[in-house]
Amino acid sequence: MAANGNGNAMGRNGLPTIQTRPNGICHDDSSAPVKANTIDELHSLQKKKSAPTTPLNGVDGTAFSFFTEEERQQQQLQSISNSLASLTRETGPKVVRGDPAKRTGDTPKVSHHHHFTVTPTISVSDSSLKFTHVLYNLSPAELYEQAIKYEKGSFITSSGALATLSGAKTGRSPKDKRVVRDESTEDDLWWGKGSPNIEMDEHTFLVNRERAVDYLNSLDKVFVNDQFLNWDPEHRIKVRIVSARAYHSLFMHNMCIRPTPEELENFGTPDFTIYNAGQFPCNRYTHYMTSSTSIDLNLGRREMVILGTQYAGEMKKGLFSVMHYLMPKRQILSLHSGCNVGKSGDVALFFGLSGTGKTTLSTDHNRYLIGDDEHCWSDNGVSNIEGGCYAKCIDLSREKEPDIWNAIKFGTVLENVVFDEHTREVEFEEKSVTENTRAAYPIEYIPNAKIPCVGPHPKNVILLACDAFGVLPPVSKLNMAQTMYHFISGYTALVAGTVEGVKEPQATFSACYGAAFIMLHPTKYAAMLATKMEKHGATGWLVNTGWSGGSYGLGKRMKLAYTRKIIDAIHSGSLLDATYKKTEVFGLDIPTEVEGVPSEILDPVNTWPDKKAYKETLLKLAGLFKKNFEVFTNHKIGKDNKLTEEILAAGPVF
């Protein structure tokens, strides 16, 4: 037997011996005993209580700096209680912070001076006799625990991301989205043919709101997120999301801008509130209801109600619709676009529908990403509306999309993906649940993201189209009227399903490249875009990422390498100095040369072996453009009709 350097006796194999003390208790001297007498005490040592970061002794300009931590939390709870208040009762529910599963045997303490001691009989209900536990702005780790414990279909994947299921609905329900039509929205919003705004009245909204609030108040716990929209601090919006699922809370934690502890303490009353009761259906006998799903916007009350769908994208796009209403009122243009900035400060906007390459082309390792989907253009420049990215996952691979692949890690929400039951490795090619598999992650998960997500005024506005007809040129420089025409049109083409072995392209038009989300008439957004482009000297471009040498099935998809060379030439400014010629029918200016791109493909007629078929297909697409634009022809822009006439003249001529 030997001794180690500390004088402790050592046994065989170098292990410390177990000493028998005079009291007869065996003791292992190899380490100090833990400072706990029970396993519960040991668990309590594992978690360190977060200390408030704002000094409690007061700081000038801090709204709540003279309150104690307990008083601050009480004000916070009262604000949440007010948000959850029924319109038929005088007060909101009794709310308390924390997970009800961790409060056994004790009655939660609340401040009773916030509740009336005498209430009318009409307000008495089971929910008014219980406490609603509020899980407030939980961290991703805490939300993981909630999802894994209580939400069936939640799993941790091999990459660390949280896999979830959105239930029966795996996509948005645009036909079930409604907007209250009242005095404030009657003249402002776009109603009627072609509009995405389906009307409902105030009373019906309040019926659905009451249904959602009653459902949320009946639960033992609700998740509450207080967050921001718009990275421009001068124009940011405070939003509150009340939901019943950890999945929804983590999704919005990622997609909205996350407040600092100081900002959260001073959050106050939200500018807009979402009540997500998606697990509970709407009443089909309620006026305007056509299914068990309803997504309702009330711009006057600044509220949104979700019933009958658990698809998280409804919250993201619902708030985007709100920004499409609120921002133009401040003379700020809201945009459904990607946005990046070069090292010299040159900003580019990328517009494009699904499948056009908007996400791929706006994610450039030589440039900083401001955002991938939603932006504002104000007098201060551009700013991202969101705090995260919502990327498609179908057929995702490390080689094709390395940034998105690497962003799927701890904290990321994976919607409706399929994974190996043993290894938990995601099989991104699987469509068993849906083809619309998605990943929601914070924007800082992208290595070259620009934080804060703001930039100067854009120099280039790039409109992307995946033309499966194969008649649009790879790149065209647009004048202002053409930019407005193609922006309002929002064209791309999708490949239809197989019918007896024949596949034909199908034209798709979405006004302003986001018709499902705009609130005003498309020409109003187009006029704002033109004004800002002229003021700041931006150039418009139409880039076709679709087919060349023939329509889908005959020609080939434009090589991504060529498209990237074109985008590089736009960013560098070299394309401005190119020699141009004009195409027939659409009257587009196309360059005769682009570095790194074969000159023969720049004019699509050169790539078609059958010139007659090319002309027929070109005229067919031109006719589809004209037919689509008919709904916009009677809307005048400005005091006279001059601008409207210029836009119409910028369309195809045949």
Side-chain angles (χ1 to χ4, degrees):
M1 184 176 296
N4 64 11
N6 297 324
N8 293 329
M10 304 296 291
R12 288 179 297 176
N13 301 322
L15 297 175
T17 60
I18 296 177
Q19 305 285 336
T20 303
R21 298 293 173 87
N23 58 10
I25 298 176
C26 292
H27 183 76
D28 187 350
D29 284 331
S30 60
S31 62
V34 69
K35 297 178 180 179
N37 295 317
T38 67
I39 193 68
D40 288 338
E41 287 185 16
L42 180 59
H43 287 171
S44 70
L45 294 174
Q46 195 176 19
K47 299 176 184 178
K48 183 179 179 182
K49 185 175 177 61
S50 298
T53 53
T54 301
L56 298 181
N57 57 355
V59 178
D60 291 341
T62 304
F64 297 139
S65 57
F66 294 102
F67 294 117
T68 65
E69 176 66 11
E70 183 178 354
E71 289 171 331
R72 259 199 303 270
Q73 288 194 12
Q74 191 59 57
Q75 287 200 356
Q76 197 177 69
L77 287 173
Q78 182 59 33
S79 175
I80 294 169
S81 177
N82 293 341
S83 292
L84 284 167
S86 163
L87 298 178
T88 61
R89 304 183 187 100
E90 295 187 28
T91 63
K94 300 184 180 80
V95 294
V96 63
R97 286 185 69 156
D99 186 349
K102 297 178 181 178
R103 294 176 177 269
T104 55
D106 295 328
T107 301
K109 295 180 180 179
V110 295
S111 180
H112 293 285
H113 71 271
H114 291 296
H115 299 275
F116 294 90
T117 54
V118 178
T119 54
T121 305
I122 192 172
S123 72
V124 175
S125 67
D126 287 345
S127 62
S128 68
L129 301 177
K130 61 178 278 295
F131 291 96
T132 299
H133 289 77
V134 173
L135 303 182
Y136 183 72
N137 275 56
L138 296 190
S139 68
E142 292 172 306
L143 291 168
Y144 265 54
E145 292 174 2
Q146 291 290 324
I148 298 300
K149 284 181 183 178
Y150 306 114
E151 295 180 14
K152 191 173 182 178
S154 297
F155 298 89
I156 301 175
T157 64
S158 61
S159 68
L162 180 70
T164 63
L165 291 174
S166 64
K169 297 293 180 75
T170 58
R172 290 183 297 104
S173 303
K175 293 183 180 179
D176 292 312
K177 181 182 175 185
R178 298 171 178 83
V179 184
V180 172
R181 187 169 184 169
D182 55 21
E183 292 181 359
S184 63
T185 59
E186 176 71 34
D187 297 327
D188 287 346
L189 266 57
W190 179 25
W191 304 104
K193 185 179 179 181
S195 169
N197 301 317
I198 303 171
E199 67 176 88
M200 71 186 308
D201 59 33
E202 175 89 5
H203 174 75
T204 304
F205 173 85
L206 295 179
V207 169
N208 282 352
R209 181 193 186 278
E210 193 77 356
R211 190 171 176 90
V213 167
D214 281 349
Y215 169 74
L216 292 167
N217 287 338
S218 73
L219 304 175
D220 287 335
K221 63 186 178 187
V222 294
F223 298 89
V224 177
N225 293 40
D226 280 348
Q227 295 182 254
F228 299 117
L229 297 178
N230 198 351
W231 282 82
D232 182 350
E234 188 178 337
H235 300 293
R236 77 180 180 184
I237 302 295
K238 297 186 293 183
V239 293
R240 171 169 291 165
I241 304 101
V242 185
S243 60
R245 291 193 61 183
Y247 148 50
H248 291 151
S249 185
L250 181 57
F251 178 91
M252 294 306 280
H253 172 275
N254 290 348
M255 295 311 303
C256 294
I257 299 168
R258 293 158 290 283
T260 65
E262 293 88 350
E263 290 170 334
L264 200 56
E265 288 170 2
N266 300 318
F267 192 83
T269 303
D271 299 313
F272 199 88
T273 302
I274 293 178
Y275 300 97
N276 189 341
Q279 290 168 288
F280 199 66
C282 64
N283 187 335
R284 295 191 189 199
Y285 286 98
T286 304
H287 191 39
Y288 295 101
M289 300 300 103
T290 56
S291 74
S292 60
T293 298
S294 193
I295 303 99
D296 308 328
L297 279 174
N298 190 324
L299 297 170
R301 291 183 58 88
R302 304 291 175 91
E303 292 178 340
M304 176 180 176
V305 169
I306 298 175
L307 290 165
T309 174
Q310 297 179 60
Y311 182 65
E314 295 287 9
M315 295 183 286
K316 165 188 160 65
K317 291 304 185 184
L319 289 176
F320 191 30
S321 295
V322 171
M323 294 297 279
H324 270 310
Y325 174 74
L326 295 178
M327 293 297 101
K329 285 183 168 293
R330 303 184 186 186
Q331 300 305 308
I332 297 170
L333 178 59
S334 48
L335 302 165
H336 188 210
S337 70
C339 183
N340 65 25
V341 58
K343 294 176 182 178
S344 61
D346 59 300
V347 169
L349 293 173
F350 293 82
F351 294 90
L353 302 178
S354 179
T356 59
K358 175 168 65 83
T359 300
T360 300
L361 295 172
S362 60
T363 304
D364 187 333
H365 289 170
N366 296 316
R367 298 171 66 82
Y368 299 109
L369 180 69
I370 293 176
D372 75 329
D373 196 42
E374 303 175 9
H375 293 86
C376 287
W377 188 352
S378 71
D379 290 339
N380 300 329
V382 291
S383 57
N384 191 348
I385 290 175
E386 302 179 295
C389 301
Y390 194 35
K392 287 187 175 182
C393 289
I394 194 67
D395 294 326
L396 179 69
S397 68
R398 189 193 301 270
E399 294 71 31
K400 290 180 182 177
E401 302 284 0
D403 286 341
I404 297 175
W405 180 275
N406 292 328
I408 297 176
K409 56 186 179 181
F410 181 83
T412 296
V413 175
L414 282 173
E415 283 183 325
N416 300 316
V417 298
V418 176
F419 52 85
D420 184 278
E421 65 177 354
H422 175 60
T423 65
R424 297 294 197 262
E425 290 184 3
V426 178
E427 298 179 4
F428 289 108
E429 72 283 356
E430 265 287 348
K431 306 172 186 177
S432 301
V433 179
T434 177
E435 191 170 331
N436 187 34
T437 52
R438 296 270 184 165
Y441 49 85
I443 193 168
E444 54 265 29
Y445 281 16
I446 299 297
N448 63 329
K450 185 181 182 300
I451 308 294
C453 303
V454 296
H457 297 285
K459 291 298 180 186
N460 292 293
V461 174
I462 301 169
L463 311 181
L464 300 170
C466 177
D467 177 30
F469 290 92
V471 295
L472 288 183
V475 60
S476 313
K477 185 174 71 171
L478 306 176
N479 60 35
M480 196 56 66
Q482 288 175 324
T483 302
M484 296 176 73
Y485 181 88
H486 286 279
F487 176 71
I488 293 171
S489 297
Y491 163 72
T492 194
L494 305 176
V495 178
T498 303
V499 180
E500 294 179 355
V502 178
K503 297 181 180 179
E504 293 184 356
Q506 180 181 355
T508 300
F509 297 92
S510 183
C512 308
Y513 293 92
F517 321 119
I518 60 176
M519 304 295 282
L520 314 180
H521 195 277
T523 54
K524 294 186 178 181
Y525 298 104
M528 289 184 70
L529 177 63
T531 299
K532 290 185 179 297
M533 287 180 67
E534 287 180 336
K535 181 178 180 180
H536 301 290
T539 304
W541 306 89
L542 180 63
V543 174
N544 175 23
T545 63
W547 270 254
S548 176
S551 298
Y552 179 87
L554 296 174
K556 294 182 179 180
R557 184 81 188 256
M558 201 79 63
K559 289 184 178 180
L560 179 59
Y562 293 161
T563 303
R564 286 200 181 278
K565 287 291 184 182
I566 289 169
I567 299 297
D568 289 343
I570 292 173
H571 290 324
S572 69
S574 63
L575 211 50
L576 289 172
D577 301 324
T579 302
Y580 286 85
K581 66 177 185 178
K582 198 171 289 291
T583 65
E584 58 179 341
V585 181
F586 279 90
L588 300 169
D589 290 330
I590 61 174
T592 56
E593 289 184 355
V594 177
E595 185 180 351
V597 181
S599 297
E600 60 269 19
I601 75 167
L602 295 175
D603 190 344
V605 68
N606 296 334
T607 65
W608 279 63
D610 188 339
K611 307 302 180 188
K612 183 181 178 182
Y614 165 78
K615 187 64 177 287
E616 290 173 350
T617 307
L618 179 65
L619 292 175
K620 178 181 179 180
L621 181 60
L624 294 172
F625 264 86
K626 272 194 170 296
K627 183 179 180 181
N628 171 73
F629 216 82
E630 288 175 359
V631 71
F632 309 120
T633 55
N634 295 326
H635 195 89
K636 295 181 180 180
I637 303 175
K639 295 181 180 179
D640 55 33
N641 207 27
K642 184 179 178 182
L643 189 54
T644 307
E645 292 171 355
E646 289 180 1
I647 295 172
L648 291 174
V653 178
F654 58 101

